[in-house]
């Protein structure tokens, strides 16, 4: 068990910080918003709840939910235009402060790249630092599945991305921040996991995270000290 002061030191000396996106960097769950927009909200949010609790393998849950939603390219574009995701209070300042300290910031999401890249652009995070699932469309714009080769498409995918980042950039200390079980499971290979409950509290994460916060202001405060 690492002491809280040790965890704080690790956070303040990290060379990379990875954030989950849905219910962490943004207030919504992207897939639920897409389901709502496509008129199949109730069935899909129940599946999301089961997937987030770790009851269903991630890829199976994603396949099942997308088969129900069947989002077209046009629907995804309209969702972003008409209902853009809301950034969680404090995240813009936190990301900006980390970048000022030359800390690399990554977004690692089980959600969709088109939505996550939109969020990344609002936070001045380059698209090369985005890891998320790619939707596939036929030439007429209809839904054609998703890229199953992306590491984020399966259980344990976030840990695979962090391992890859360590190998590629020789990062010594990577912090993972997120609200879900899939984020917590990415530590290790992440050196520290910080559970986030500012939008939704997942009991399993709250009970098991060594460091649990409900407001990004707390992390900003650590960097200011």
């Amino acid at each position: 068990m690492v002491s809280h002061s040790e965890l704080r030191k690790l956070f303040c000396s990290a060379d990379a910080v990875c954030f989950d996106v849905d219910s962490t960097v943004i207030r919504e769950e992207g897939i639920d918003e897409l389901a709502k927009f496509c008129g199949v909200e109730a069935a899909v949010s129940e599946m999301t709840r089961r997937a987030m609790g770790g009851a269903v393998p991630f890829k199976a849950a994603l396949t099942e939910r997308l088969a129900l939603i069947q989002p077209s390219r046009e629907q995804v574009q309209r969702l972003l235009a008409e209902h853009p995701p809301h950034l969680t209070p404090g995240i813009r300042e936190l990301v900006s402060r980390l970048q000022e300290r030359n800390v690399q910031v990554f977004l690692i999401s089980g959600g969709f790249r088109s939505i996550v890249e939109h969020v990344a652009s609002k936070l001045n995070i380059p698209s090369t630092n985005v890891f998320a699932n790619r939707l596939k469309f036929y030439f007429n714009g209809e839904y054609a599945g998703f890229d199953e080769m992306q590491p984020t498409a399966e259980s344990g995918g976030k840990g695979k991305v962090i391992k890859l980042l360590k190998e590629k950039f020789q990062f010594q200390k990577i912090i993972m921040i997120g609200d879900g079980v899939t984020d917590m499971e990415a530590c290790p290979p992440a050196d520290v996991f910080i559970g986030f409950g500012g939008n939704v509290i997942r009991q399993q994460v709250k009970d098991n995270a060594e460091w649990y916060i409900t407001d990004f202001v707390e992390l900003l405060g650590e960097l200011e000290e």
Side-chain angles (χ1 to χ4, degrees):
M1 191 79 176
V2 188
S3 74
H4 194 63
S5 65
E6 280 294 312
L7 289 171
R8 285 159 62 179
K9 266 191 217 143
L10 284 164
F11 172 67
C12 291
S13 61
D15 35 20
V17 176
C18 301
F19 289 92
D20 169 50
V21 177
D22 294 329
S23 298
T24 299
V25 167
I26 62 173
R27 308 205 67 153
E28 306 86 352
E29 282 289 324
I31 195 161
D32 289 350
E33 292 302 303
L34 192 55
K36 192 190 293 182
F37 195 74
C38 297
V40 287
E41 180 188 8
V44 170
S45 49
E46 171 56 22
M47 284 182 198
T48 298
R49 196 185 58 72
R50 280 170 35 224
M52 287 308 291
V56 186
F58 187 81
K59 190 184 274 187
L62 187 61
T63 307
E64 213 180 325
R65 288 178 292 175
L66 282 170
L68 263 177
I69 303 170
Q70 297 274 325
S72 67
R73 181 184 277 126
E74 189 214 353
Q75 282 172 318
V76 175
Q77 289 165 347
R78 274 181 46 220
L79 172 70
L80 284 172
E82 295 171 24
H83 304 281
H86 296 91
L87 291 176
T88 299
I91 188 65
R92 201 189 288 272
E93 296 78 3
L94 179 57
V95 168
S96 170
R97 190 79 188 89
L98 288 165
Q99 289 170 333
E100 281 167 17
R101 293 166 67 106
N102 293 317
V103 176
Q104 284 286 327
V105 178
F106 296 88
L107 299 181
I108 309 179
S109 173
F112 308 120
R113 195 172 180 97
S114 41
I115 296 174
V116 177
E117 282 187 341
H118 176 88
V119 173
S121 70
K122 297 230 176 301
L123 296 169
N124 296 315
I125 295 170
S127 59
T128 46
N129 286 22
V130 168
F131 293 85
N133 290 315
R134 290 179 188 274
L135 292 171
K136 298 202 298 204
F137 303 101
Y138 292 112
F139 68 92
N140 64 356
E142 283 180 12
Y143 175 67
F146 63 96
D147 180 358
E148 298 193 22
M149 301 311 289
Q150 295 293 322
T152 47
E154 54 194 327
S155 302
K158 291 179 182 179
K160 285 183 188 155
V161 171
I162 289 172
K163 187 168 179 286
L164 179 116
L165 293 176
K166 282 194 160 180
E167 287 165 3
K168 187 174 176 183
F169 298 109
Q170 307 298 304
F171 290 136
Q172 297 304 303
K173 289 181 208 140
I174 294 189
I175 312 295
M176 179 73 206
I177 300 173
D179 68 292
V181 173
T182 58
D183 307 309
M184 189 163 65
E185 286 170 348
C187 180
D191 299 276
V192 174
F193 168 66
I194 301 173
F196 181 71
N199 293 312
V200 59
I201 290 178
R202 310 208 189 269
Q203 204 57 43
Q204 200 178 339
V205 177
K206 188 179 182 187
D207 292 346
N208 294 291
E210 290 185 284
W211 189 355
Y212 194 79
I213 63 167
T214 54
D215 196 323
F216 286 128
V217 168
E218 185 177 330
L219 296 182
L220 261 173
E222 298 293 348
L223 297 176
E224 303 304 335
E225 281 175 20

